Amino acid sequence: AFGFAADNEANDMTFYNYKIINRSTLPLNETYFGQWVDADLGYYLDDYVGCDVSLGLGYCYNGDAEDEGASGYGFNPPAIGVDFFQGPLSDAGDNIDNDRDDIIDELDTIIDALGDTTFLTEQIIMSKFVYYNNDFTDTGNPEDGTDIYNYLRGIWKDNVPMTYGGDGHGGGTGSTTDECNFMFPGTSDASFAGTEWTEVTAGNVPADRRFLQSAGAFTLQPGAVNVITTGVVWARAKSGGQTASVQL
């Protein structure tokens, strides 16, 4: 993997590129790639998280107006986001709109300098956004490989799929029994158009949050090469509270 950085007056960014190759002789079925983040934004015990589905962006921001303590940012604290720019390639003919462009199973055509043509399947962009807390409850830290794999698939440690609203586990303000792919998407989840779900609307207690963005499922064939690119952006608004930094 490699990374590089850029900055301007509004924000600071780093970019990361990973090349992942299946060196075995066997295919890996139902594969997911995940980007895991423990943001610890300033004072780490008062964080909120969320995502923008259309941008493939997961983010962390402060859960109240002031980021307290010696390690805190004070008032108008910043936000940090992770953008899933480039994901793995989908299986051909999987009948899923993996890049959410309203076209199913299209092929990208690449013509190299020698005139040779390569057809690539759709890229899988962020297909799940999952948070969990730094504790050992059913919505807390994964404790074994099964927990990790289930989180990549949007399933809690007690084998309950995450659900829309509230805390994503059937509790809290606005909770439903409707299964979902993205937690705290604001109004960006087209599957729940006309509704809003954030940690603010749910009235969650801020805590030490971790989150992950996953892309899958797909088959990783022997010798297959996938390139994953993510970008991490930090921004701090000068006024407007913690949500203004998310918008910035």
Side-chain angles (χ1 to χ4, degrees):
F2 69 85
F4 61 93
D7 67 86
N8 58 36
E9 292 182 357
N11 50 47
D12 294 280
M13 296 169 280
T14 53
F15 297 86
Y16 304 87
N17 179 269
Y18 307 88
K19 180 180 288 186
I20 302 173
I21 306 172
N22 182 3
R23 298 291 192 186
S24 75
T25 59
L26 298 174
L28 300 177
N29 299 313
E30 296 293 314
T31 304
Y32 291 80
F33 287 163
Q35 170 69 41
W36 176 87
V37 181
D38 179 13
D40 286 343
L41 190 68
Y43 177 59
Y44 67 99
L45 291 176
D46 64 349
D47 291 344
Y48 273 169
V49 299
C51 72
D52 187 301
V53 177
S54 60
L55 295 177
L57 178 74
Y59 52 83
C60 176
Y61 61 108
N62 213 59
D64 52 27
E66 180 185 6
D67 192 32
E68 302 92 343
S71 62
Y73 285 99
F75 288 98
N76 296 304
I80 189 169
V82 179
D83 201 343
F84 211 109
F85 286 122
Q86 183 180 15
L89 298 176
S90 62
D91 293 350
D94 65 1
N95 201 36
I96 299 172
D97 183 16
N98 294 283
D99 52 7
R100 289 195 292 277
D101 63 354
D102 296 323
I103 304 174
I104 295 175
D105 292 336
E106 81 267 29
L107 294 176
D108 290 330
T109 303
I110 296 178
I111 302 176
D112 63 21
L114 299 177
D116 295 326
T117 301
T118 301
F119 296 98
L120 300 178
T121 56
E122 292 179 320
Q123 286 187 32
I124 306 176
I125 58 178
M126 184 180 76
S127 50
K128 301 284 185 184
F129 178 85
V130 182
Y131 91 98
Y132 63 90
N133 291 313
N134 183 17
D135 58 34
F136 291 94
T137 65
D138 287 336
T139 58
N141 293 310
E143 299 179 63
D144 54 32
T146 298
D147 291 344
I148 293 170
Y149 187 65
N150 279 342
Y151 273 167
L152 290 167
R153 300 189 298 151
I155 299 173
W156 296 111
K157 289 164 59 178
D158 57 359
N159 292 316
V160 174
M162 62 185 186
T163 52
Y164 189 86
D167 62 3
H169 191 253
T173 302
S175 63
T176 72
T177 58
D178 298 326
E179 294 184 17
C180 64
N181 293 320
F182 309 100
M183 302 199 65
F184 312 127
T187 58
S188 68
D189 189 346
S191 296
F192 297 90
T195 63
E196 181 179 11
W197 179 28
T198 68
E199 296 234 50
V200 176
T201 64
N204 293 338
V205 177
D208 185 5
R209 299 276 198 267
R210 286 88 188 271
F211 70 80
L212 61 90
Q213 299 148 280
S214 69
F218 65 98
T219 304
L220 189 58
Q221 297 290 350
V225 178
N226 274 275
V227 177
I228 311 299
T229 304
T230 60
V232 180
V233 57
W234 181 97
R236 186 176 190 179
K238 296 179 180 179
S239 61
Q242 72 273 30
T243 55
S245 292
V246 175
Q247 295 303 316
L248 183 59

